[in-house]
Amino acid sequence: MNNHSCVKILNEWDIVAARQLGRNIARELNFGIIDQARITTAISELARNIFIYAGQGEIQIEKLLQGGKKGLKVIAADHGPGISDIRKVMEDGYSTSGGLGAGLPGVRRLMDEFDIDSDPKKGTTVTAVKWVR
Ligand SMILES: Nc1ncnc2c1ncn2[C@@H]1O[C@H](COP(=O)(O)OP(=O)(O)OP(=O)(O)O)[C@@H](O)[C@H]1O
Ligand SMILES: [Mg+2]
């Protein structure tokens, strides 16, 4: 079974493609309609951040099957400028682009697990997991 999918984010249309892929996989996993919406919103925010701040990168989506638990993992990875102060970008309203600064804090709230790994020399990887209830 192929439980690993990937969308390269190179332009704005790829954000839509990543979102659609996420919805399809969330459906396959039998997530409810509200959780499907949470997952697709989180994926759009992460894909949009890649496009705006890093220029390009990728969204990977993985199905998780762990001891009877089912879930979906999103990995948003880029080799862009990185984030120097992760604590700061997780504050509601913090934006370096005149945005709402709601993207990353929103993703954390929408998903069950959330992690950012970033290095100004290597780029940024955001990992988020949602479990089927
Ligand atoms: N992939 C990334 N690479 C580098 N910096 C990033 C990345 N993603 C987010 N950031 C930084 O984190 C800040 C906060 O991101 P967040 O998505 O929360 O808000 P925003 O993109 O500024 O506004 P919004 O998402 O509400 O439109 C951004 O302004 C940017 O400085
Ligand atoms: Mg954003």
Side-chain angles (χ1 to χ4, degrees), residues 45-46 48-56 76-86 88-107 116 118 123-126:
E45 289 300 330
L46 295 175
R48 206 156 59 83
N49 280 353
I50 288 174
F51 179 68
I52 294 172
Y53 303 110
Q56 56 178 273
D78 66 61
H79 298 293
I83 294 170
S84 49
D85 190 342
I86 290 174
K88 197 149 215 154
V89 299
M90 292 314 298
E91 286 170 10
D92 272 305
Y94 178 84
S95 175
T96 56
S97 68
L100 287 178
L104 291 173
V107 173
I116 300 185
S118 190
T124 302
T125 301
V126 180

Side-chain angles (χ1 to χ4, degrees), residues 23-89:
R23 183 173 299 274
N24 289 341
I25 295 175
R27 247 190 225 131
E28 281 170 29
L29 286 164
N30 290 321
F31 275 100
I33 195 84
I34 310 274
D35 276 348
Q36 287 179 31
R38 290 186 173 109
I39 289 165
T40 52
T41 302
I43 291 171
S44 322
E45 289 300 330
L46 295 175
R48 206 156 59 83
N49 280 353
I50 288 174
F51 179 68
I52 294 172
Y53 303 110
Q56 56 178 273
E58 63 183 38
I59 298 281
Q60 297 163 30
I61 300 176
E62 238 176 274
K63 287 183 188 172
L64 302 177
L65 301 166
Q66 281 178 15
K69 274 208 306 184
K70 283 195 304 181
L72 182 151
K73 182 191 265 191
V74 180
I75 302 171
D78 66 61
H79 298 293
I83 294 170
S84 49
D85 190 342
I86 290 174
R87 198 180 45 80
K88 197 149 215 154
V89 299

